[in-house]
Amino acid sequence: MRANFVVSGVFAGIRRNATMTIALVLSTAIALGFVGAAILANTEITKFRQKYEDKINVSVYLCAQLHTADPNCTEKTTPEQTAAIKQMLDSDPLVQSERYVSEQEAFQRGKEQLAGSTGNFLHLGDLPASFTVKLKDLQKDYAAFAAKYAKVTGIGRVNNQIDTINTLLNIIDSARWFSIIIAIVVLVASVLLIANTIQVAASQRKNETSIMRLVGASRWMTELPFMLEAVIAAAIGGLVAIGLIWAGKHYVLDNIFEGPTRHGVIPNLSINDVLVAGGSGLIVGIVLSGITAFLTLRFYVRL
Amino acid sequence: MIRLQNVTKVYPAGARPALDDVTFAVEKGEFVFLIGQSGSGKTTVLRLLLREEVSDVGLVAVNGRSLNKMPRRKVPELRRKIGCVFQDFRLLPKKTVYENVAFALEVINKSPKAIKRTVPEVLDLVGLNGKAQRMPNELSGGEQQRVAIARAFVNRPLVLLADEPTGNLDPDTSQGIMSLLERINRTGTTVVMATHDNNIVDAMRRRVIELEFGKIIRDQSRGVYGVGR
């Protein structure tokens, strides 16, 4: 197939349909931008989990004096009970390691966290002693662990810090689902726009394609320029989308989460992550536009 | 070269068959006029030969190959052996004379070298060598039809189908087009021409197949338009 001939046909077609091609580029850019955003949100969730999962510990709180109203804590945990709990933890196959945090230590930490005058209201004994437990598999074993230890005499409650992190993860996950839904809606619009653009282009070039058919041009030769037009528009849209994703990260996310990312609370997304997300969007765009163009030409346009 | 055997074609909306049990054969190098009133089935014959349509009953064959069961992917190959000329020329208005003719070769993947060699030759044959860079709207009707003939003949087809090629032309210009078709026929190309033009048919004295309501009512060698009916 003569590449020059096909390429010149493609660019003539794009010029002739300039406004529709621009609309196609823009809608594809927005759709693929959201595809990229969804991928990026996914990357962030994965990074977040990786960052925190090995650091997340379970706290097994004992009963302090203040907790006697708690049905689990009718009285303060005795040293014997504490020793029994420690032994139970040490022999538990789910547990990787444990560390005892005394009331004194809890009080010190509490005072540091509630710096200033609020800390003055805190007294030794207000905060219970606890065991900081590291489980071998937090995700899998936490529920069983919590259920088992919550019933043990001398234990007030079992707490898992992943709950706090899950709230953050849920926010990111919602953003991901939002991106996915918007991406699907705009992708559907883009697919319809591609189909329409091809139908309009085909009717504009009916004279040319009918001659091509009459002189014996193969079906591919007749259809390829239309398919390439759609694929090129989608590819340009995909490149614009990479720019949009980068701009969104650089100007919006980086500004909003500047502090937490600088302190390492929220894992930072690298330019590499942006390129992977945008590049995946680009591939989705190219494949989808190629398939749409192919199907439109086969089923809706008689060339 | 061409064979139709008991061919019947009915269009979905048609009350009667467009072609009704039509049988004829055309030998290699023959020049045949298809005549008959509008709606008699002339164009349907040409469309069947181009495999734009498929007969409902009977056999249609070109160059020894049956078109009835020809798969779609083989149709382009068939059409490269058949040239086509129409009453309305069907030139591409934004391409020059040269580009219009070259287009027919470009889309079937001929090499640029072959195109550069063949197009001037065929433009010379149709008498348009000096007008290669003109646009179609700068040409007379006769000249436009010559470009269309050049495009149909540039790939040296075995068969040239012409559907009312002189329908939009005055008698003198028509005469010129007929001379050109005759020259092409002398190169061994089979020519099948559908026409209403009695002067041309009478002047050429070639084989005439006359159709009426989809049936052949006359098949006469060295025939004329109105005699023998």
Side-chain angles (χ1 to χ4, degrees), chain A residues 283-302:
Chain A
I283 292 166
V284 167
I286 288 172
V287 171
L288 202 64
S289 61
I291 292 172
T292 307
F294 178 82
L295 294 178
T296 308
L297 289 164
R298 287 287 143 124
F299 297 112
Y300 296 106
V301 179
R302 192 177 172 225

Side-chain angles (χ1 to χ4, degrees), chain A residues 1-2 5 16 207-219 221 302-303, chain B residues 50 52 72 76 79-80 86 90-92 103-104 106-112 151:
Chain A
M1 205 172 282
R2 302 272 142 221
F5 178 75
R16 213 172 331 189
N207 201 4
E208 199 174 311
T209 51
S210 73
I211 291 165
M212 285 172 88
R213 274 195 318 117
L214 280 177
V215 298
S218 66
R219 198 166 180 175
M221 188 72 175
R302 192 177 172 225
L303 289 178
Chain B
L50 269 173
E52 293 250 38
R72 270 190 74 156
R79 289 181 183 162
R80 288 176 198 189
F86 302 93
R90 298 195 191 173
L91 299 179
L92 297 170
F103 183 75
E106 283 168 335
V107 299
I108 57 167
N109 296 325
K110 291 282 181 194
S111 71
R151 183 180 64 196

Side-chain angles (χ1 to χ4, degrees), chain B residues 86-111:
Chain B
F86 302 93
Q87 183 175 358
D88 57 359
F89 321 135
R90 298 195 191 173
L91 299 179
L92 297 170
K94 287 184 180 165
K95 289 188 188 289
T96 63
V97 166
Y98 182 95
E99 287 165 347
N100 263 286
V101 179
F103 183 75
L105 296 176
E106 283 168 335
V107 299
I108 57 167
N109 296 325
K110 291 282 181 194
S111 71

Side-chain angles (χ1 to χ4, degrees), chain A residues 10-23:
Chain A
V10 169
F11 284 101
I14 288 176
R15 266 202 310 277
R16 213 172 331 189
N17 270 332
T19 49
M20 255 181 136
T21 309
I22 291 169

